[in-house]
Amino acid sequence: MPKSKPASGKHKAAIDAAGAAFQKTDSLPFKPTDADLGNSTEGRRRLKGAFLIAIEKIEPDPNQPRRKIDPAHLEELTKSVKQLGILQPISVQYIEAQDRYRIIAGECRYTAAKAAHLPEMPCWVKTPKAEEVLLEQIVENWQRSNLNPFELADSLAILRDANGYSQTELVRQTGKSKGEISKLLKILELDEGVQSLARQDTSGHISRRHLYSLARLDVEGQTLLLKRIQREKLTALDTENLVSRYLQKNDKPKQPGAPVTRRKFETKTGSVLFTYRKQRVSGTDLLMTLREVKKQIIERSSDPADLQ
């Protein structure tokens, strides 16, 4: 194992300060003594890099995938911290230029510690690469059920684009299945307007599964179904079943490589767009399509719209 380089002036001063703070453990239940652990030391070794660091020296990571913390969760965590202290260290990285410690993982615990007015908290001081920081944040947040799906998808896309990762590499790095990675990235292909509406939704009702289902529809279908989800509070399962039925009824197999021809007509009350999977479209083709559409409208007139 290569020897580590001597710490620079500011870095050494920061580590020394953290080391001094680590000796003051009266306010936090974080320093078990040898007596606490019994006489046997077999199978035990000390971990390096753990310090008690002043709260004022710690700052959140502006690029943390998690943008919001659930107020109820924060209140509950703060009460626990006031009673028991911080039982698990957070991970931080020392930023020498600013003489501060930036959080890698554990922002919720940090926020609760501030709310509980703790003067210091236990931290693991790490020196990771930029992609390792984001990866650790993604993995830590992955299992949080109330994490906004777009926060996770955005951070995965950043990790992919910044490092030129394929989906296979993302699977290897995160330990998640290829299907789950693919679905998360797929929601970033939703229509921009639909994404904007979904991102602004503060109800917490729209889950990853809702968004996965929306991504299977065309733009019009995405908009209609999102509004229905919000209006009727559809469950993820209801949404999946609705999309499956809609696609079975309306989707026809696409011809790979077939040319696409579009014809658009404007009227006083709206516009009509025809899309054909062939290169040449005649007037007869348009009229036949209109007759078929008219027949379908008459057949469906007694039924509620599928998605509205």
Side-chain angles (χ1 to χ4, degrees):
M1 192 178 207
K3 294 183 179 178
S4 57
K5 297 179 180 179
S8 63
K10 285 188 176 180
H11 196 171
K12 185 176 185 303
I15 295 299
D16 289 343
F22 186 60
Q23 302 303 317
K24 304 173 184 178
T25 57
D26 294 339
S27 61
L28 291 171
F30 186 65
K31 194 185 75 170
T33 64
D34 288 340
D36 296 328
L37 298 172
N39 296 325
S40 174
T41 58
E42 184 178 354
R44 187 183 79 210
R45 63 189 178 91
R46 290 190 178 277
L47 293 175
K48 296 181 179 180
F51 301 93
L52 279 171
I53 298 177
I55 290 280
E56 62 185 21
K57 298 281 288 184
I58 303 171
E59 64 180 21
D61 184 350
N63 298 317
Q64 159 69 242
R66 189 183 190 87
R67 299 299 180 194
K68 298 179 181 178
I69 300 176
D70 178 58
H73 171 68
L74 179 58
E75 182 179 359
E76 182 179 347
L77 184 58
T78 301
K79 288 180 180 178
S80 174
V81 168
K82 286 180 178 178
Q83 182 179 0
L84 302 173
I86 299 292
L87 302 180
Q88 180 184 1
I90 66 172
S91 299
V92 298
Q93 179 180 18
Y94 180 63
I95 309 299
E96 185 172 0
Q98 301 171 20
D99 191 26
R100 294 180 66 79
Y101 295 86
R102 183 165 297 165
I103 297 172
I104 298 172
E107 188 172 337
C108 285
R109 277 167 284 157
Y110 160 78
T111 306
K114 283 191 68 176
H117 304 294
L118 295 187
E120 55 194 5
M121 67 184 303
C123 304
W124 298 114
V125 180
K126 299 184 177 181
T127 55
K129 298 178 182 178
E131 64 269 21
E132 293 172 342
V133 172
L134 182 57
L135 181 60
E136 184 169 337
Q137 291 170 341
I138 290 173
V139 172
E140 185 202 32
N141 284 319
W142 199 291
Q143 298 301 326
R144 298 180 185 272
S145 60
N146 60 345
L147 181 69
N148 186 300
F150 285 108
E151 294 175 338
L152 198 50
D154 288 341
S155 57
L156 272 176
I158 292 171
L159 185 65
R160 175 198 62 192
D161 297 342
N163 301 285
Y165 287 161
S166 64
Q167 284 197 23
T168 300
E169 183 63 18
L170 287 176
V171 168
R172 190 184 71 80
Q173 292 282 354
T174 62
K176 296 298 176 180
S177 70
K178 186 175 182 179
E180 192 167 4
I181 295 289
S182 178
K183 286 179 179 179
L184 272 167
L185 294 176
K186 187 70 176 177
I187 69 175
L188 297 181
E189 298 178 14
L190 285 165
D191 173 69
E192 289 185 5
V194 172
Q195 279 197 52
S196 179
L197 287 174
R199 288 174 183 271
Q200 293 171 22
D201 186 279
T202 57
S203 67
H205 177 71
I206 299 176
S207 67
R208 296 182 212 169
R209 287 176 61 187
H210 284 101
L211 295 172
Y212 296 162
S213 296
L214 285 173
R216 299 174 62 192
L217 300 172
D218 57 22
V219 174
E220 183 180 7
Q222 292 173 17
T223 304
L224 292 174
L225 185 52
L226 176 60
K227 291 180 178 179
R228 182 171 174 181
I229 291 170
Q230 293 174 315
R231 183 175 66 247
E232 300 180 19
K233 302 297 181 185
L234 295 178
T235 66
L237 181 59
D238 289 338
T239 304
E240 290 166 353
N241 291 336
L242 189 62
V243 168
S244 294
R245 290 198 301 270
Y246 177 80
L247 292 176
Q248 287 174 4
K249 183 183 290 187
N250 295 278
D251 276 12
K252 296 181 179 179
K254 296 180 181 179
Q255 303 173 18
V260 175
T261 302
R262 294 182 173 85
R263 295 287 186 270
K264 186 174 182 179
F265 297 87
E266 300 285 347
T267 69
K268 292 181 179 180
T269 57
S271 62
V272 180
L273 175 65
F274 296 92
T275 302
Y276 293 87
R277 289 280 172 180
K278 59 181 183 178
Q279 190 168 6
R280 296 180 180 277
V281 178
S282 65
T284 301
D285 292 327
L286 292 168
L287 291 173
M288 288 180 63
T289 302
L290 279 173
R291 283 195 291 269
E292 291 176 7
V293 170
K294 181 179 178 181
K295 182 180 178 181
Q296 291 181 30
I297 291 174
I298 294 173
E299 289 175 348
R300 297 181 185 182
S301 61
S302 59
D303 297 326
D306 286 330
L307 297 177
Q308 296 188 51

